[in-house]
Amino acid sequence: MITLRAMTQDDIEHGYAITQQLKWPHRREDWQQALALGEGVVAEEQGKFVGSAFGWRWGEHAATIGLVVVNPNSQGRGIGKQLMLAVMEKFPDAVIRLHATEMGQGLYEKLGFKVTGSIQQHQTRELAAVPAVSIPTGLTLRNAEANDVDLLTELDHQAHGMWRPQLMQTLIADHQTVLLQDAQQRVQGFASLRRFGHGWAIGPVIARNIEVAQALIAALMQGLRGEFVRIDTDAALPLASWLETLGLVKVDAPTTMYLGTPWSPQAGEMQAFGLMTQAMA
């Protein structure tokens, strides 16, 4: 019999072991960050950890679900569905976003999720050529500071409707986050670089246009020659072809799905050129 309960720090090692079996790139630290920013549900059988799923509430009306994993020896028994239903119950009033593997898409469709697009995962094991930083005319680059949290939260919200002040605070305090601003100190975009998986991940990348996004990414790539670098981008936005020129090839394309009406950015406002993670979006 499968029982469900809330995830605790003691469960991270078990979840990490399953993602290692599945050859997912997540480190223990990535699991820890996921739990710090959200909440998890664990499936047990006779006291043994057999699967888990995470959910993150991003404000009153938005949530994401991800890191849905089931021990390979226990798959095909409906455990993933039980985990999904348990997490979905936490967000009855929210529009929920997730990114589905080919294996999981059928289950999510049965639970009411609709396909809205896809994400392209681009990466290189060794960044061969660091791009030159070309700052758009009239803009200046600087590091984000603690007093930028509220502003970055608002710009992030413009891009995808999620309200994530705790995440913005973490990105500024614990990782390298840069922004571009104009002469009136109006921020035109920001991006973060952090350790994730096999090396480095760049994201989120929130920008008003592709030129700003490219400049932010190039700035964060300085010093990463020879390093593993990953960026997850919306397939509908024009960043992927540029990433290919840098040697970041597409290795995966999970499906974007929503339960509820997807967020649509207003014309001229911020767009999410890069994700934080596929799980958190």
Side-chain angles (χ1 to χ4, degrees):
M1 179 179 176
I2 301 298
T3 58
L4 303 178
R5 61 169 174 79
M7 180 179 287
T8 70
Q9 288 287 335
D10 294 336
D11 297 309
I12 287 176
E13 191 64 30
H14 300 292
Y16 168 72
I18 291 179
T19 46
Q20 287 288 291
Q21 282 184 270
L22 297 172
K23 300 190 184 304
W24 290 13
H26 301 73
R27 307 167 303 154
R28 293 178 180 86
E29 294 89 343
D30 301 324
W31 274 82
Q32 290 165 352
Q33 184 176 68
L35 186 56
L37 292 168
E39 52 190 322
V41 175
V42 168
E44 287 184 326
E45 186 170 32
Q46 296 180 341
K48 181 181 178 182
F49 184 112
V50 294
S52 64
F54 279 92
W56 297 268
R57 176 173 284 281
W58 305 120
E60 293 183 16
H61 305 298
T64 53
I65 291 176
L67 266 177
V68 182
V69 294
V70 176
N71 188 306
N73 296 327
S74 300
Q75 290 178 2
R77 299 168 49 204
I79 297 172
K81 180 178 180 180
Q82 292 183 56
L83 287 165
M84 280 294 299
L85 290 171
V87 177
M88 290 166 64
E89 286 179 357
K90 299 177 181 295
F91 313 122
D93 54 346
V95 173
I96 304 175
R97 173 174 171 168
L98 59 76
H99 296 104
T101 63
E102 186 176 352
M103 183 180 297
Q105 183 175 335
L107 167 61
Y108 305 141
E109 288 176 335
K110 291 177 182 177
L111 294 175
F113 286 82
K114 305 295 185 184
V115 173
T116 62
S118 66
I119 294 297
Q120 294 188 4
Q121 179 181 330
H122 286 259
Q123 65 189 43
T124 177
R125 292 195 173 277
E126 296 182 9
L127 183 64
V130 177
V133 181
S134 179
I135 304 297
T137 303
L139 302 185
T140 56
L141 180 76
R142 69 170 175 84
N143 290 322
E145 301 171 350
N147 59 7
D148 293 314
V149 167
D150 289 347
L151 175 59
L152 298 195
T153 299
E154 171 57 35
L155 298 180
D156 187 59
H157 178 264
Q158 287 181 17
H160 41 54
M162 296 185 283
W163 194 254
R164 310 194 286 185
Q166 185 182 1
L167 175 58
M168 297 303 114
Q169 186 176 19
T170 297
L171 291 173
I172 293 173
D174 299 337
H175 308 287
Q176 182 182 1
T177 300
V178 295
L179 57 81
L180 281 166
Q181 62 186 28
D182 63 19
Q184 287 74 45
Q185 297 188 330
R186 293 175 297 201
V187 174
Q188 303 300 304
F190 71 92
S192 295
L193 171 70
R194 68 191 194 287
R195 286 283 186 184
F196 179 81
H198 300 304
W200 297 93
I202 295 177
V205 180
I206 307 297
R208 203 171 296 282
N209 55 53
I210 182 65
E211 292 79 17
V212 170
Q214 290 172 331
L216 290 164
I217 291 168
L220 290 173
M221 283 184 171
Q222 303 306 302
L224 294 184
R225 184 185 298 275
E227 297 279 350
F228 183 104
V229 180
R230 169 177 169 173
I231 299 176
D232 293 357
T233 185
D234 190 324
L237 296 176
L239 187 65
S241 59
W242 180 70
L243 294 175
E244 294 274 358
T245 69
L246 303 180
L248 276 74
V249 298
K250 184 179 77 171
V251 298
D252 197 11
T255 302
T256 304
M257 305 184 75
Y258 275 88
L259 183 67
T261 304
W263 178 264
S264 182
Q266 296 297 309
E269 290 194 340
M270 295 289 160
Q271 298 183 83
F273 285 90
L275 277 63
M276 170 64 182
T277 66
Q278 290 180 15
M280 296 184 203

